[in-house]
Amino acid sequence: MTATWQARRWTGADGLDLFARDYAAAAGPARLPVVCLHGLTRNSRDFESLAPWVAAQGRRVLALDMRGRGSSARDPAEQYDVPTYVDDVLRLLDALGLARAIFIGTSMGGLITIELASRDPGRVAGAVINDIGPQLAPRGLERIAGYVGERPPLPDWNAATAAVAALNADVFPRYGAQDWIAMARRLFREETRADGQTHVVADYDPAIARALSRIVADPDPWAKWNALASSRPVLVLRGTATDLLDADVAEAMVAGHPDATLVPVEGVGHAPMMDEPDALNAIAAFLKRV
C-alpha cells in the first residue's frame, strides 16, 4: 500500500535539522495519531508499508528520521543517544501540538519509546514494541556491532541489493528478489562523487557505531519497562527467529501486566517489518482498543 505524505522539518535543541514523513489520516472520526520510530541503522522508509496502512484506518502517522539517518542531518557532535532522540521526538510533537499519541518502535525505536514514557508518561497512550526489550541477547548485539559503521561505497543498486540480501537472508528467509530490491532502496541512497560519478552508500552516519553501547545502556531498564507496561496498553512483537530478544525475556515483559500482549511473528528474525500478517493482525487489534 502506498500513500502520499508531507515532509516535516524541525530542529533539535542544538539546532540540528530533522525530518519526518507526515501521513494524513483517512476521513473519519478523530483518533489518536501514531508515531513510528525506526531501528539503529534505519529510517522512516522502514514504515512505507505500515504507515499508509495505519493512516487508511483514520490515524495520522508520523514516521521520523532520527538524527544521523535518512533526510535528517548528521550530527557533528555525535549526540547519538536515547535521551537526545527522546528530546528530538518531543520537540516535533510540541511543534505540531500533539499532546498524546500511540508509539510504534522497532528495536532502537522501542528503546526510545520506553525512555520517552518514563520522561513524559502522559504523552504515550499505548505502545507497540517491536523485537526489543529491557534485556538484550549478547549474540544479537555482537551481530549488530559487526555490521554497523563505516563501509565502502557500492558501485550500483544491484550491488546494494546483493549486500542487503546476504546480510539479512536469515532474518527474512521468505524474501524474493523484489523484496530485496525494496529493502535496498530503504537502507541505501545514491551519492555523487567529486568526479560526477554516483555510488550507493548506507543512509546513516557511520559514527552511530561509536554510540551503540550508549544506546543500549540503561542502569534500570526493567523499572522503566514495568512503568510503561503497567499503565497503558502495550503490544510486544517478537520475531520467532530473532537473536536479540530471547523468548523468556519477552514472556517476562508481559507477565503481570494485564494490558500487555506478546505476539510472535513467525519465521522472521530481528526485526519484523510489521508488514507480516501476524504483525498486521496484532497491530490492527491493538489500535482498535487504544
Side-chain angles (χ1 to χ4, degrees), residues 96-173:
L96 296 177
L98 299 177
R100 194 164 170 81
I102 299 167
F103 287 75
I104 299 178
T106 292
S107 195
M108 181 189 77
L111 298 179
I112 296 169
T113 299
I114 296 167
E115 179 68 26
L116 190 150
S118 73
R119 186 192 299 188
D120 191 352
R123 190 82 67 157
V124 182
V128 178
I129 304 298
N130 184 22
D131 215 59
I132 198 73
Q135 183 177 324
L136 305 178
R139 66 189 183 283
L141 290 173
E142 290 170 5
R143 177 183 59 81
I144 293 169
Y147 72 75
V148 65
E150 193 76 51
R151 288 289 183 272
L154 299 171
D156 53 36
W157 283 108
N158 288 334
T161 299
V164 166
L167 184 63
N168 294 282
D170 293 339
V171 178
F172 302 107

Side-chain angles (χ1 to χ4, degrees), residues 42 106 130-132 139 143 167-176 179-180 183 186 237-247 263-280:
R42 313 300 272 266
T106 292
N130 184 22
D131 215 59
I132 198 73
R139 66 189 183 283
R143 177 183 59 81
L167 184 63
N168 294 282
D170 293 339
V171 178
F172 302 107
R174 299 169 187 163
Y175 268 21
D179 298 307
W180 295 124
M183 178 167 275
R186 290 194 294 265
L237 300 175
R238 178 183 179 272
T240 58
T242 184
D243 60 358
L244 193 63
L245 180 62
D246 287 339
V263 172
V265 181
E266 292 294 333
V268 300
H270 181 79
M273 290 302 301
M274 295 182 288
D275 57 4
E276 305 86 357
D278 290 338
L280 288 175

Side-chain angles (χ1 to χ4, degrees), residues 13 19 38 65 78 174 189 198 249 270:
F19 172 89
H38 60 74
D65 284 351
E78 297 186 17
R174 299 169 187 163
R189 60 181 169 84
T198 61
V249 175
H270 181 79

Side-chain angles (χ1 to χ4, degrees), residues 1 3 45 50 52 87 95 103 124 161 171 175 205 212-213 266:
M1 179 180 292
R45 298 193 294 276
L50 181 67
D87 187 64
F103 287 75
V124 182
T161 299
V171 178
Y175 268 21
D205 185 349
L212 178 58
S213 61
E266 292 294 333

Side-chain angles (χ1 to χ4, degrees), residues 224-247:
K224 290 179 181 176
W225 170 258
N226 289 327
L228 173 78
S230 64
S231 55
R232 59 186 59 78
V234 172
L235 170 63
V236 178
L237 300 175
R238 178 183 179 272
T240 58
T242 184
D243 60 358
L244 193 63
L245 180 62
D246 287 339

Side-chain angles (χ1 to χ4, degrees), residues 35-81:
V35 177
C36 294
L37 305 175
H38 60 74
L40 180 69
T41 63
R42 313 300 272 266
N43 57 68
S44 61
R45 298 193 294 276
D46 256 17
F47 302 104
E48 62 189 7
S49 293
L50 181 67
W53 178 82
V54 173
Q57 300 177 45
R59 294 184 186 273
R60 182 183 187 180
V61 181
L62 295 165
L64 281 64
D65 284 351
M66 305 313 297
R67 60 175 56 214
R69 287 88 166 171
S71 296
S72 285
R74 280 41 178 167
D75 184 355
E78 297 186 17
Q79 294 185 87
Y80 297 133
D81 55 75

